[in-house]
Amino acid sequence: MSYVDEVFEQVKAKNPDQPEFLQAVTEVLNSLRPVVEQHEEQYRKLAILERITEPDRQIMFRVPWVDDKGQTQVNRGFRVQFNNAIGPYKGGLRLHPSVNLSIIKFLGFEQVFKNSLTTLPIGGGKGGSDFDPKGKSDNEIMRFCQSFMTELYKYIGADQDVPAGDIGTGAREIGFMYGQYKRIKNLYEGVLTGKGLTYGGSLARTEATGYGLVYLTEEMVKCHDDKMEGKTVAVSGAGNVAIYAIQKAQQLGAKVVTCSDSTGWIYDPEGIDVELLKDVKEVKRARLTEYAAQRPSAEYHEKKDGEHGVWQYKVDIALPCATQNELNLEDAKMLVANGVQYVAEGANMPTTLDATEYFQQNGVKFVCGKASNAGGVATSALEMSQNSERLSWTFEEVDSKLKNIMVGIYHNIDDAAKEYGMEGNYVAGANIAGFKKVVEAMIAQGVC
Ligand code: NDP
């Protein structure tokens, strides 16, 4: 049995109840085969794959808080510190009822390679809670965030582990957590990113993941002698990543005709009105029905199982920006039948493994999230640099660094795929390029 298969069997046996984590490990290990085969003896001796698939540590804790009715509620908190070979642990905090150890481990594992691809000195981690921020008052959110940080503060620090936002964790939640950290530690340090602009946040961080996704997509399109202008685009989601992906794609002359949330989707053949979408989602925190009510050209559809949602329309580019496993094989077939040419993931692992393979087999240029959504964490690392310098850079300065990083990532993954004889396989390219840097650092640092 090959070393990759041997380790995969061990990971499966140790984590039988973690399907999302196993899915991520399968994708990464499979595409690393050519690199691992070249160094099999050395990697085996140093147990590189065993070490890279086992987090440095996994912290789980109780988060008690009192709701507005005076009732005590209990949630479960997580922080998985996966690998710090190239820098302090870095990765978001997800607040969503679906959160469990498998999801946090899959996200932390992917984060290791993603952070490596940014070229910045950041290791990989992830955390969160099964707390559902939907429908909670600001005071309930604050009490939850304070309780969460009252435990988490023990394990994080500006040079140790620097969490950020993710699904359900936006500027409001980061603010409450930062306040509690400062209060407990009496330290004003860049321990979280995604902070507000008045207390150490970076300009362009809010836009970074969506903008970065489109910068990378634009570079890929250009490198295929094509242009963004005039392209029709399907986007899923209506959160932080989706909104700014829509905005940047439209600034570059593309027309985005869809967006979605967990209850339904919008088809707007005139192109999504991003200012209206921002008002509905960022200001009013309302459902997409509100968007449709104010926009005569838009159709709203309630989400139903077995339907293709935003993936049923004729588009050139698809950008899944909502959540994991939201684009399956049947959706991929529909997109291919409708002539999709480029797919780049804004969310983490939104495309199932069989759908990814279908895209690749049918000539669709497909980039996985660890490369195409790395703009968020890259800009978080730029926020850390600004905090260390105690300076703030302009929007243009941060945005231009972000664009350079995303263009660099595209060429890095393209070159890595070519070097290993897999031209155009950007999934393999991303995994290989991200892995090689981390492994070099791990080997240099000895067995630890
Ligand atoms: P948000 O919470 O801001 O938005 C998530 C969006 O996806 C919401 O519109 C949400 O709808 C929708 N959604 C969630 N679950 C489902 C579902 N099961 N079906 C359909 N729609 C769903 O999160 P972000 O935009 O920050 O994150 C989106 C993805 O991007 C995640 O995978 C995240 O890990 C990834 N990512 C985010 C980064 C960032 O900087 N924010 C960086 C890199 C990756 P509703 O409002 O109804 O819940």
Side-chain angles (χ1 to χ4, degrees), residues 28-165:
V28 172
L29 290 191
N30 271 335
S31 56
L32 292 178
R33 282 178 199 276
V35 191
V36 174
E37 275 160 20
Q38 264 184 9
H39 304 275
E40 179 150 346
E41 205 184 318
Q42 184 192 23
Y43 286 3
R44 211 187 251 281
K45 193 160 178 210
L46 295 175
I48 292 292
L49 296 183
E50 290 88 335
R51 285 198 275 150
I52 213 161
T53 51
E54 184 71 26
D56 290 354
R57 64 194 62 78
Q58 312 175 42
I59 303 143
M60 281 169 66
F61 51 94
R62 184 176 65 235
V63 189
W65 57 280
V66 180
D67 70 18
D68 286 346
K69 296 189 186 108
Q71 174 64 46
T72 302
Q73 304 283 347
V74 179
N75 286 99
R76 183 172 278 182
F78 299 86
R79 187 71 185 166
V80 172
Q81 298 178 329
F82 223 107
N83 185 302
N84 67 352
I86 62 169
Y89 306 105
K90 180 98 199 79
L93 296 171
R94 179 172 291 192
L95 301 182
H96 193 272
S98 64
V99 163
N100 58 36
L101 189 58
S102 171
I103 288 180
I104 298 298
K105 277 179 70 182
F106 118 64
L107 290 164
F109 181 65
E110 292 270 304
Q111 197 83 44
V112 175
F113 306 99
K114 179 192 304 195
N115 292 3
S116 165
L117 283 174
T118 65
T119 69
L120 301 170
I122 38 180
K126 196 84 188 184
S129 171
D130 57 3
F131 172 76
D132 186 359
K134 276 205 193 105
K136 304 287 189 301
S137 69
D138 283 354
N139 275 331
E140 287 176 324
I141 299 277
M142 182 175 74
R143 288 193 290 270
F144 169 82
C145 289
Q146 289 178 338
S147 179
F148 183 77
M149 187 50 87
T150 301
E151 184 64 25
L152 186 69
Y153 90 94
K154 297 170 189 165
Y155 311 101
I156 62 177
D159 294 313
Q160 187 180 0
D161 182 353
V162 184

Side-chain angles (χ1 to χ4, degrees), residues 111-412:
Q111 197 83 44
V112 175
F113 306 99
K114 179 192 304 195
N115 292 3
S116 165
L117 283 174
T118 65
T119 69
L120 301 170
I122 38 180
K126 196 84 188 184
S129 171
D130 57 3
F131 172 76
D132 186 359
K134 276 205 193 105
K136 304 287 189 301
S137 69
D138 283 354
N139 275 331
E140 287 176 324
I141 299 277
M142 182 175 74
R143 288 193 290 270
F144 169 82
C145 289
Q146 289 178 338
S147 179
F148 183 77
M149 187 50 87
T150 301
E151 184 64 25
L152 186 69
Y153 90 94
K154 297 170 189 165
Y155 311 101
I156 62 177
D159 294 313
Q160 187 180 0
D161 182 353
V162 184
D166 190 66
I167 291 180
T169 307
R172 175 180 58 171
E173 292 75 16
I174 292 288
F176 292 145
M177 290 182 199
Y178 190 72
Q180 186 70 353
Y181 180 85
K182 187 169 62 79
R183 187 176 172 202
I184 299 174
K185 296 272 288 207
N186 194 18
L187 263 184
Y188 209 99
E189 59 166 359
V191 67
L192 291 167
T193 57
K195 298 187 292 299
L197 294 177
T198 52
Y199 62 96
S202 174
L203 286 162
R205 174 60 189 92
T206 306
E207 295 83 354
T209 309
Y211 276 23
L213 168 69
V214 176
Y215 289 145
L216 183 140
T217 307
E218 185 192 23
E219 187 64 14
M220 165 166 67
V221 169
K222 267 196 205 158
C223 290
H224 289 88
D225 294 324
D226 205 349
K227 55 182 191 316
M228 283 295 282
E229 204 182 339
K231 291 274 181 293
T232 306
V233 183
V235 167
S236 63
N240 174 259
V241 180
I243 287 175
Y244 294 96
I246 296 171
Q247 187 174 69
K248 183 51 73 180
Q250 306 213 135
Q251 282 172 6
L252 296 178
K255 183 156 82 169
V256 181
V257 292
T258 65
C259 64
S260 63
D261 64 16
S262 45
T263 50
W265 78 91
I266 292 287
Y267 175 61
D268 191 343
E270 302 272 291
I272 298 289
D273 177 344
V274 81
E275 289 311 314
L276 174 59
L277 183 64
K278 280 170 78 170
D279 184 57
V280 169
K281 284 291 172 186
E282 292 183 344
V283 182
K284 299 192 176 119
R285 295 180 189 266
R287 310 309 310 168
L288 285 174
T289 42
E290 180 81 19
Y291 175 94
Q294 292 187 51
R295 177 92 173 153
S297 56
E299 297 166 12
Y300 174 78
H301 300 268
E302 203 67 38
K303 183 173 162 180
K304 292 193 194 89
D305 280 349
E307 280 190 355
H308 296 294
V310 301
W311 311 128
Q312 65 187 282
Y313 302 102
K314 187 168 168 45
V315 293
D316 308 300
I317 300 175
L319 304 174
C321 297
T323 193
Q324 65 271 2
N325 293 327
E326 52 156 323
L327 196 168
N328 63 26
L329 179 60
E330 295 311 311
D331 301 323
K333 286 183 178 167
M334 185 109 199
L335 280 164
V336 169
N338 278 325
V340 76
Q341 293 167 274
Y342 306 95
V343 178
E345 296 183 326
N348 285 313
M349 211 167 72
T351 314
T352 58
L353 286 174
D354 50 3
T356 301
E357 280 162 19
Y358 189 81
F359 283 136
Q360 290 172 325
Q361 285 157 4
N362 285 276
V364 176
K365 278 67 116 186
F366 177 89
V367 185
C368 56
K370 69 172 72 67
S372 47
N373 71 28
V377 73
T379 309
S380 279
L382 300 179
E383 184 174 329
M384 289 164 72
S385 303
Q386 293 169 78
N387 291 164
S388 302
E389 286 188 328
R390 303 205 186 283
L391 288 175
S392 299
W393 304 339
T394 62
F395 186 95
E396 290 69 28
E397 228 173 326
V398 180
D399 190 39
S400 91
K401 285 188 201 308
L402 167 67
K403 187 166 182 183
N404 284 338
I405 290 169
M406 297 315 295
V407 168
I409 291 176
Y410 173 73
H411 288 287
N412 189 8

